[in-house]
Amino acid sequence: MVSAKVSRSAVLGAVALSLLAVPAQAAPMKAGAEPRPAAALPAPDTAGMAAVLNSVVATGAPGAMARIDDGTTVYKTTRGVADRTTRRAITTGDRFRVGSVTKTFSAVVLLQLVDEGKLALDAPVNRYLPGLLPDDRITVRHVLSHRSGLYDYTNDMFASSVSGFEAVRNKVFTYRQLVNLSLKKPRTNAPGALYSYSNTNFVVAGMLIEKLTGHSVRTAYENRVFKPLKLRDTFYVHPDTKIPGQHANGYLTADEAGAKPVDATDQTVSWAQSAGAIVSTAQDLDTFYSALVRGKLTSAARLAEMERFTRVNATTSYGLGLRRRDLSCGISVYGHTGAVQGYYTYAFTTKDGKRSLTALANASNSSAVLNTLAGALEPAFCGKRAATRSAGTPLEREDIAPAAPREQ
């Protein structure tokens, strides 16, 4: 068990900072108070963070960690193990699968293409990918904001988490195969009518990236995000199954109570690809989200498009591949959540990018672990003024098979 506070002078690294899915319907978000600048934030509550991570491990995760970067000081807290077999302690330097945090990377690449005049947000997807979708009214903006109405194929693929995972862990899909799985089912709503989280949307995003850049999504991520930000521990290895270098193993909670968790570390993540297959570290995700909200990856106009949010529930809103979370102390933070077999991630930063958090649990398929880990946001950004989770706080939902809530 480790808690550490490291001054900026002692750290080579950076600043800044998501998988979560939520109920299917949402109304447009009303304008609210301006987010409080990071300079006014209270100091992180490291004891509160340790308590959250203790609870995550007690709830069933082998390990949990959190890294907070406020530009001058890095706070690191870890609990438990990275590997249930060797019992190696988890560290904030371990690499891990980030799941749907990948969606923000995909959105950034597409918004860069908008800046370059190669893509229009309000153009039909079929303009760029002729005949792909059954409705010419579905626009690029609808896809990036989860308002396309395209059914999420993971609802069926992972209706049974473990057997569904074992059926695809070594499988390699094409993007079109995944889209076709979605199109076998009716759409959830008319284009633009409602928010409905669907991994299909960001599979389409990957197809757009490859069509418009002429490169694989791996090359697009590397040339447009990884290398410019010097994210040395961030990779897109699909269809390889291994996480390179030192990493936390990920454990998929069994569907049957009392059964042994499944080590899900090695997998292609081909079922997700541009919707969830990136590997990274806490430091790199902090750097990424800080750079994003500071305008280092897109024009100010495109960043403003990302931050046009639709209210999802009382605490969460969704823009273009970007979430906004409203905390108990009145502070709003920006980033994404991530769920992939074996890993839950929360990666968020303040509006000005001056304080960032990445928190990880190396477990999945457990609503108890997911909801407990969500508590890391409060001590990171609200300090000792953080409120305990109230009975009225919306429950977290996985972005793997979001229509199938996990009750373990």
Side-chain angles (χ1 to χ4, degrees):
M1 299 187 189
V2 178
S3 294
K5 175 180 175 181
V6 185
S7 68
R8 169 61 58 191
S9 60
V11 175
L12 293 176
V15 191
L17 295 175
S18 97
L19 3 148
L20 159 70
V22 284
Q25 299 188 9
M29 189 179 119
K30 296 179 180 179
E34 285 297 313
R36 177 178 293 168
L41 295 182
D45 178 8
T46 54
M49 182 64 75
V52 169
L53 299 190
N54 283 336
S55 295
V56 170
V57 172
T59 302
M65 62 86 162
R67 182 184 187 274
I68 304 167
D69 189 334
D70 71 1
T72 58
T73 306
V74 173
Y75 304 83
K76 303 177 181 180
T77 306
T78 64
R79 293 292 186 272
V81 299
D83 187 320
R84 295 178 75 242
T85 300
T86 68
R87 309 304 296 175
R88 180 180 69 81
I90 198 168
T91 77
T92 57
D94 286 341
R95 296 169 180 168
F96 54 90
R97 299 191 185 281
V98 307
S100 287
V101 174
T102 302
K103 291 178 171 66
T104 311
F105 287 81
S106 296
V108 164
V109 173
L110 287 180
L111 289 165
Q112 289 176 351
L113 293 170
V114 175
D115 277 330
E116 295 164 15
K118 298 175 181 177
L119 180 69
L121 283 173
D122 294 309
V125 169
N126 283 349
R127 175 184 298 178
Y128 307 102
L129 300 167
L132 177 69
L133 302 181
D135 193 331
D136 286 340
R137 296 176 299 167
I138 298 174
T139 68
V140 177
R141 187 188 301 276
H142 292 152
V143 164
L144 293 181
S145 60
H146 292 297
R147 293 185 300 119
S148 69
L150 294 170
Y151 179 79
D152 190 341
Y153 58 87
T154 69
N155 291 336
D156 302 318
M157 187 178 286
F158 301 122
S160 176
S161 294
V162 174
S163 61
F165 168 64
E166 294 292 6
V168 301
R169 72 181 299 167
N170 294 310
K171 193 167 183 177
V172 178
F173 293 93
T174 66
Y175 281 128
R176 191 169 289 272
Q177 285 174 326
L178 295 175
V179 171
N180 287 343
L181 289 175
S182 169
L183 297 181
K184 290 179 179 180
K185 293 297 184 73
R187 279 169 281 155
T188 57
N189 52 263
L194 296 172
Y195 170 95
S196 183
Y197 192 97
S198 174
N199 285 288
T200 309
N201 289 312
F202 279 80
V203 170
V204 173
M207 296 181 75
L208 287 167
I209 289 170
E210 296 198 341
K211 178 66 176 291
L212 296 172
T213 65
H215 299 292
S216 67
V217 291
R218 176 189 298 188
T219 298
Y221 292 150
E222 289 175 349
N223 291 343
R224 291 171 173 271
V225 184
F226 300 172
K227 291 177 182 177
L229 294 183
K230 298 181 180 178
L231 305 182
R232 296 184 177 89
D233 292 305
T234 303
F235 308 92
Y236 185 81
V237 299
H238 173 270
D240 291 345
T241 61
K242 300 290 186 181
I243 300 176
Q246 180 176 300
H247 57 271
N249 283 20
Y251 297 92
L252 176 64
T253 304
D255 293 317
E256 303 79 21
K260 185 178 179 181
V262 174
D263 188 332
T265 310
D266 293 346
Q267 58 169 304
T268 63
V269 201
S270 194
W271 64 265
Q273 300 187 51
S274 51
I278 283 177
V279 170
S280 191
T281 61
Q283 178 171 318
D284 276 4
L285 293 186
D286 283 350
T287 299
F288 169 65
Y289 278 109
S290 180
L292 172 60
V293 299
R294 290 173 184 238
K296 295 183 178 180
L297 291 170
T298 69
S299 67
R302 299 293 82 73
L303 180 58
E305 296 280 6
M306 291 190 80
E307 295 177 349
R308 289 176 58 182
F309 293 102
T310 295
R311 177 70 71 182
V312 169
N313 59 36
T315 61
T316 303
S317 303
Y318 206 94
L320 302 183
L322 189 69
R323 291 188 183 278
R324 170 174 163 169
R325 298 296 290 265
D326 302 324
L327 305 181
S328 67
C329 55
I331 292 165
S332 295
V333 292
Y334 303 77
H336 215 285
T337 51
V340 64
Q341 291 90 353
Y343 304 91
Y344 285 142
T345 304
Y346 284 79
F348 285 84
T349 192
T350 50
K351 174 69 172 174
D352 57 10
K354 291 184 178 179
R355 182 179 297 177
S356 303
L357 162 75
T358 296
L360 170 79
N362 59 341
S364 71
N365 194 35
S366 169
S367 59
V369 171
L370 179 64
N371 280 276
T372 304
L373 186 65
L377 293 169
E378 294 281 340
F381 296 105
C382 295
K384 293 184 178 179
R385 294 181 296 181
T388 56
R389 191 177 184 91
S390 70
T393 302
L395 294 177
E396 307 292 322
R397 298 288 295 274
E398 287 200 16
D399 55 4
I400 300 174
R406 306 303 178 194
E407 301 300 336
Q408 290 89 346

